[in-house]
Amino acid sequence: MAAPSSSTCDGAMARSFRERVPPLLTDLYQFTMAYAYWRAGRHQEPAVFELFFRDNPFGGGFSLFAGLDDCLLFLRSFRFTDEDVEFLCSVLPATTDPAFFQFLRGLDCSGVTLRSVPEGTVVFARVPLMEVAGPLAVVQLLETSLLCLVNYASLVCSNAARFRLAAGPQRKLLELGLRRAQGPDGGLTASRYTHIGGFDLTSNVQAGFLFGIPVAGTMAHSYVTSFNSLEEVWPRTLAAADGDLDPVDFISLTKGWLSRVCEIVGAEPAKIREGELAAFLSYAIAYPNNFLPVIDSYSVGCGLLNFCAVALALCELGHRPVGVRLDSGDLCRQSVSVRGVFRLCSQHFSVPDFNSLIIVGTNNISEQSMIELNGKENEIDVVGVGTHLVTCTKQPSLGCVYKLVEVRGKPRMKISEDPEKSTVPGRKAVYRLLDAEGHPFLDLVCLAVEPPPEPGVPLSCYPMGAQTSSVSVTPAQVRSLYLEAFTTGQVSHPLSSAAETRAKVQTSLQTLHPRHKRLQDPESYTVALSERLQNLVSELRRGSSNNSNFLLSN
């Protein structure tokens, strides 16, 4: 494996953000609505939107909130260039008043406030994750970009957390999905947020550079199959690790070890693939302390013998080989066989370093196959996951939405024939209620003007999506979920590194009760409205049925 990179390049990330997520990265109808607001003189009206999702992903009991820092960088850099405005002039209807384009030239987020759940927090369906307040035209224009930044980041972060739960806390997880990702930006986003969700390593070098994620890799089958004979190995010598001796003929040294390995395992040297051995030798000479080849290009048995011979030669010279990668077949059964040969070599040849060799397993790993792997005897130390992780094959979208809840200080509510698509009106506060053991058991959504619930004091609330009446609960602890992250054009909450957010994820997950973390058939977590907010919902619904003009239904 390559040595991990510890470089964190926040400056490079910030510099490139305006190019990666410009204000034109949105839907056309945001501009047509903004124009209509402007034309009607409503563009400066104070408005509040909130962002949430309707169902927990992957049939699970929770999600993770991710993408907040990118949202804050986007708000901070939100300005239209002359080139942006010229393009908008060419695509908006010719009847658009030219003064609107002058309005866009002066637009920024200096009047925007964003309150949010902290990044890396365990969250649940229907809980408002983010509240965006400001001039109506501006906060409308932000919709698509904010959704784009939160939807995939939260989804792939949650997927990674599920893989981590399936793997258990000890096994190392390597993300290697760049080649399967939906484009370069999708690949970078996946590497960043799968690390935050619980993966230890990435194969993505650019992600290591930008986000400080440890990078790792092995070798491809193409490298192995590119060699045909030992004549292709160059250089043919290798010096000892301490540098005291002259370089030795590494090929001859390895051949001697190969005969001895074949003898103790009862294998025929004549069946060894010379090209594979040449590939291993060449790579080991180049990286004697990072030797971790894939051993199933032809057969695991053949590859294992070649690896052991090269690795024993490296050990004799004082170097430390790393291990092997398995990429096909029954990984559990093969890993047990490989580990048995490692132990045999360690004991027979008195080479203790063979006891610390690692086995990496990669072979189209899914969440289900990870669960099955954990249920069988195996000796796999590191699991590499690509396609099923970064493409989120079980569920391709989280389905976050961005809905208007207040205009000019008055609540707004979407009424739908589908109750699932109705929204909850008004500016809100969200509190997480914990039991006596410190486990969250209910998220309470209140109007922002309500006093917060108090520990030890019973309260009545209305579970969302339930047909039942109110329930009474008594929290042992109460935590406010919102923080003010962006105020008057400035980021007001410190941005976090990937490593810091990753630690927050693990802390947040540890507090969640196991019944809500089950990968299959988890117990539903309760999200409830306060009595006052429930009364407002009922009042607005009654007003809608009476054709009240107070409602904005869209």
Side-chain angles (χ1 to χ4, degrees), residues 85-161:
V85 176
E86 288 171 9
F87 177 75
L88 288 170
C89 288
S90 72
V91 296
L92 288 176
T95 55
T96 304
D97 188 330
F100 175 66
F101 298 109
Q102 284 302 114
F103 164 71
L104 290 179
R105 281 187 169 91
L107 214 57
D108 60 23
C109 286
S110 57
V112 173
T113 297
L114 186 147
R115 295 191 307 142
S116 173
V117 173
E119 183 149 23
T121 302
V122 168
V123 291
F124 306 96
R126 309 296 300 192
V127 172
L129 308 179
M130 188 184 291
E131 177 200 86
V132 186
L136 180 56
V138 178
V139 291
Q140 181 69 69
L141 285 169
L142 300 176
E143 174 183 6
T144 303
S145 302
L146 294 178
L147 287 170
C148 181
L149 291 170
V150 170
N151 257 313
Y152 178 65
S154 297
L155 182 73
V156 78
C157 189
S158 304
N159 201 26

Side-chain angles (χ1 to χ4, degrees), residues 246-270:
D246 291 333
V248 303
D249 183 337
F250 194 61
I251 296 177
S252 296
L253 181 63
T254 299
K255 283 183 174 180
W257 278 111
L258 182 59
S259 296
R260 297 169 70 184
V261 171
C262 288
E263 182 178 348
I264 67 166
V265 300
E268 297 181 28

